[in-house]
Amino acid sequence: MKQDESSLKKLHSFSELGKADGFVFAPFCITEDTPAVLFDSPIRRVTELDYDNILREVMYNGNCCVLNERLKPYNGKLYDRKSYEEDFNCFKAAIREKRIDKAVLSRSLVLKDDNKKNVIRMFLKACENNSDSYIVLISSDQTGVWLVATPEVLLERCGNVFHTIALAGTMDKRLVISDNESKAIGKISDIDISCWSNKNIWEQQYVSSYIKKRLSYFFSEIEELGPKTVSAGNVVHLRSDFFAEVDSIARISPGDIVRQLHPTPAVCGVPAGESYSLINSKEHNDRRYYSGFCGVVDTDGDSHLFVTLRCMEIFSDCYKLYAGGGILAESNMEEEWRETELKMKTMMDCI
């Protein structure tokens, strides 16, 4: 996505979403440093033809595709294993004390690299590696430079039909494929839900229940499909799809629904308010735009918004990768740490 900086508008609350059309890039939590931003100039979508032309340009004249003018040195804090342990123990204590049922713990990893960056090449690599995800390259003075390869729909509207998903639970795709080849299971989507641990199943059900409740504020009939196993880069998740249709006369703004959905338990927790407060007050990691959302919003036409997962912020001297995982009463810290490493590999493979 390429945008004119002069077209950028800051949104200081999610209530402003839906009052104007464009491409939105929103943080987990709106602050003075991380406002939601809306680009209202025409959006460049990469088609197969564009992809071939851009790839040819990168291969033969790579320097012209490097966005060095927006790459600044990193001057933030480093998030280490000790910080993760403190956060994990804090979240588990809140669960034991029955203040929350689930909270999503995030972390970040800074990879030092002083070499000249070719951001477009990274974007094309993300497209090549993640055909099952929504790939976005975002660059502005306000937000910095971000590469996103997310598998999670926050909200889509096509005509009168609204669509969202509950995506949670994670397994290593290599292990799943190896295990199911021995069982002669053909497609990942054919994997029975019984192959998943109780922890993963409960985690996904929390998200499904939350989404159904929030959608019921707007729709009397909601169709639910799933859960099923789906691929997302080098991991697999459990996914349920939700569809709702409105009368053509009805005036339901995508912004109204987004304000009810975001942040879902897939990036926040249960109950929503308590887990949101816990994350903002106790989590060491500064999420910025990680676990927010991005995509096209059109108040009168089709909208496509996605949760900002599997992402990294690109600096002149490093990359900052983000990942997270749901903490429940059954969670084991070593397993949760390994899950974040698996998720970060999506971006590592693009560098």
Coordinates of all heavy atoms in Angstrom, one line a residue, residues 132 171-174 176-177 180 185-193 196 228-238:
D132 N -2.2 -17.3 2.6 CA -3.4 -17.4 3.3 C -3.6 -16.2 4.3 O -4.4 -16.3 5.2 CB -3.4 -18.7 4.1 CG -2.1 -19.0 4.7 OD1 -1.3 -18.1 4.9 OD2 -1.8 -20.2 5.0
M171 N -0.9 -24.4 16.8 CA 0.0 -25.5 16.8 C 1.0 -25.3 15.7 O 0.7 -24.6 14.7 CB -0.8 -26.8 16.6 CG -1.6 -27.3 17.8 SD -2.1 -29.0 17.7 CE -3.3 -29.0 16.3
D172 N 2.2 -26.0 15.8 CA 3.2 -25.9 14.8 C 2.7 -26.7 13.6 O 2.4 -27.9 13.7 CB 4.5 -26.6 15.3 CG 5.7 -26.4 14.4 OD1 5.5 -26.4 13.2 OD2 6.8 -26.4 14.9
K173 N 2.7 -26.1 12.4 CA 2.1 -26.8 11.2 C 3.0 -28.0 10.8 O 2.4 -29.0 10.4 CB 2.1 -25.8 10.0 CG 1.5 -26.4 8.8 CD 1.7 -25.6 7.5 CE 0.9 -24.4 7.5 NZ 1.0 -23.6 6.2
R174 N 4.3 -27.9 11.0 CA 5.1 -29.1 10.6 C 4.8 -30.3 11.4 O 4.7 -31.4 10.9 CB 6.6 -28.7 10.9 CG 7.1 -27.7 10.0 CD 8.5 -27.2 10.4 NE 8.5 -26.8 11.8 CZ 9.6 -26.5 12.5 NH1 10.8 -26.6 11.9 NH2 9.5 -26.0 13.7
V176 N 1.8 -30.9 12.9 CA 0.5 -31.3 12.5 C 0.5 -32.1 11.2 O -0.1 -33.1 11.1 CB -0.4 -30.0 12.4 CG1 -1.8 -30.4 11.8 CG2 -0.6 -29.4 13.7
I177 N 1.3 -31.6 10.2 CA 1.3 -32.3 9.0 C 2.0 -33.7 9.1 O 1.5 -34.7 8.6 CB 2.1 -31.5 7.9 CG1 1.4 -30.2 7.6 CG2 2.5 -32.3 6.7 CD1 2.1 -29.3 6.7
N180 N -0.5 -36.0 10.9 CA -1.7 -36.4 10.1 C -1.3 -37.2 8.8 O -2.2 -37.8 8.3 CB -2.5 -35.2 9.8 CG -3.2 -34.7 11.1 OD1 -4.3 -35.3 11.5 ND2 -2.7 -33.7 11.8
I185 N -4.6 -38.3 6.7 CA -5.6 -37.2 6.6 C -5.0 -36.3 5.5 O -3.9 -35.8 5.6 CB -5.7 -36.5 8.0 CG1 -6.3 -37.4 9.0 CG2 -6.5 -35.2 7.8 CD1 -6.4 -36.8 10.4
G186 N -5.9 -36.0 4.5 CA -5.4 -35.2 3.4 C -5.2 -33.8 3.6 O -4.1 -33.2 3.5
K187 N -6.2 -33.0 4.0 CA -6.2 -31.6 4.1 C -6.1 -31.1 5.6 O -6.7 -31.8 6.4 CB -7.3 -30.9 3.4 CG -7.4 -31.2 1.9 CD -8.5 -30.4 1.3 CE -9.9 -30.8 1.8 NZ -11.0 -30.1 1.1
I188 N -5.5 -30.0 5.8 CA -5.4 -29.5 7.2 C -6.8 -29.2 7.7 O -7.1 -29.5 8.9 CB -4.6 -28.2 7.2 CG1 -3.1 -28.6 7.2 CG2 -4.8 -27.4 8.5 CD1 -2.1 -27.4 7.2
S189 N -7.7 -28.7 6.8 CA -9.1 -28.4 7.3 C -9.9 -29.7 7.7 O -10.9 -29.6 8.3 CB -9.8 -27.7 6.2 OG -9.9 -28.5 5.0
D190 N -9.4 -30.9 7.3 CA -10.0 -32.1 7.6 C -9.6 -32.6 9.0 O -10.2 -33.6 9.5 CB -9.7 -33.2 6.6 CG -10.3 -32.9 5.2 OD1 -11.4 -32.2 5.2 OD2 -9.8 -33.3 4.2
I191 N -8.7 -32.0 9.7 CA -8.2 -32.4 11.0 C -9.3 -32.3 12.0 O -9.9 -31.2 12.1 CB -7.0 -31.6 11.4 CG1 -5.8 -31.9 10.4 CG2 -6.6 -32.0 12.8 CD1 -4.6 -31.0 10.7
D192 N -9.6 -33.3 12.7 CA -10.7 -33.3 13.7 C -10.3 -32.4 14.9 O -9.1 -32.4 15.3 CB -11.0 -34.8 14.2 CG -12.2 -34.8 15.0 OD1 -13.3 -34.9 14.4 OD2 -12.1 -34.7 16.2
I193 N -11.3 -31.8 15.5 CA -11.1 -30.9 16.6 C -10.5 -31.6 17.8 O -9.8 -31.1 18.7 CB -12.4 -30.1 17.0 CG1 -12.0 -29.0 17.9 CG2 -13.4 -31.1 17.6 CD1 -13.2 -28.1 18.1
W196 N -6.9 -31.3 19.0 CA -6.5 -30.1 19.7 C -6.5 -30.3 21.2 O -7.4 -31.0 21.7 CB -7.3 -28.9 19.3 CG -7.1 -28.4 18.0 CD1 -7.6 -28.9 16.8 CD2 -6.2 -27.3 17.6 NE1 -7.2 -28.2 15.7 CE2 -6.3 -27.2 16.2 CE3 -5.4 -26.4 18.3 CZ2 -5.6 -26.2 15.5 CZ3 -4.7 -25.5 17.6 CH2 -4.8 -25.4 16.2
K228 N -12.9 -25.1 12.7 CA -12.1 -26.0 11.8 C -10.7 -25.5 11.9 O -10.4 -24.4 12.4 CB -12.6 -25.9 10.4 CG -12.4 -24.5 9.7 CD -12.9 -24.5 8.3 CE -12.7 -23.1 7.7 NZ -13.1 -23.1 6.3
T229 N -9.8 -26.4 11.5 CA -8.3 -26.1 11.5 C -7.9 -25.4 10.2 O -8.3 -25.8 9.2 CB -7.5 -27.4 11.7 OG1 -7.9 -28.1 12.9 CG2 -6.0 -27.1 11.8
V230 N -7.2 -24.3 10.4 CA -6.8 -23.5 9.2 C -5.3 -23.2 9.3 O -4.7 -23.1 10.4 CB -7.6 -22.2 9.1 CG1 -9.1 -22.5 8.8 CG2 -7.4 -21.3 10.3
S231 N -4.7 -23.0 8.2 CA -3.3 -22.7 8.1 C -3.1 -21.2 8.1 O -3.8 -20.4 7.6 CB -2.7 -23.3 6.8 OG -1.4 -22.9 6.6
A232 N -1.9 -20.8 8.7 CA -1.5 -19.4 8.7 C 0.0 -19.4 8.8 O 0.6 -19.4 9.9 CB -2.1 -18.7 9.9
G233 N 0.6 -19.4 7.6 CA 2.1 -19.4 7.6 C 2.6 -20.7 8.1 O 2.3 -21.8 7.6
N234 N 3.4 -20.7 9.1 CA 4.1 -21.9 9.7 C 3.3 -22.5 10.8 O 3.8 -23.4 11.5 CB 5.5 -21.5 10.1 CG 5.6 -20.5 11.2 OD1 4.9 -19.5 11.1 ND2 6.4 -20.7 12.1
V235 N 2.1 -22.0 11.1 CA 1.3 -22.5 12.2 C -0.1 -22.8 11.7 O -0.5 -22.4 10.6 CB 1.2 -21.5 13.4 CG1 2.6 -21.3 14.0 CG2 0.6 -20.2 13.0
V236 N -0.9 -23.5 12.6 CA -2.3 -23.7 12.3 C -3.1 -23.2 13.5 O -2.6 -23.1 14.6 CB -2.7 -25.1 12.0 CG1 -2.0 -25.6 10.8 CG2 -2.3 -26.0 13.2
H237 N -4.4 -22.8 13.2 CA -5.2 -22.2 14.3 C -6.6 -22.9 14.2 O -6.9 -23.5 13.2 CB -5.5 -20.7 14.1 CG -4.2 -19.9 14.2 ND1 -3.5 -19.8 15.3 CD2 -3.6 -19.2 13.2 CE1 -2.4 -19.0 15.1 NE2 -2.5 -18.6 13.8
L238 N -7.4 -22.7 15.2 CA -8.8 -23.1 15.2 C -9.6 -21.8 14.8 O -9.4 -20.7 15.3 CB -9.3 -23.6 16.5 CG -9.0 -25.0 16.9 CD1 -9.4 -25.3 18.3 CD2 -9.8 -26.0 16.0

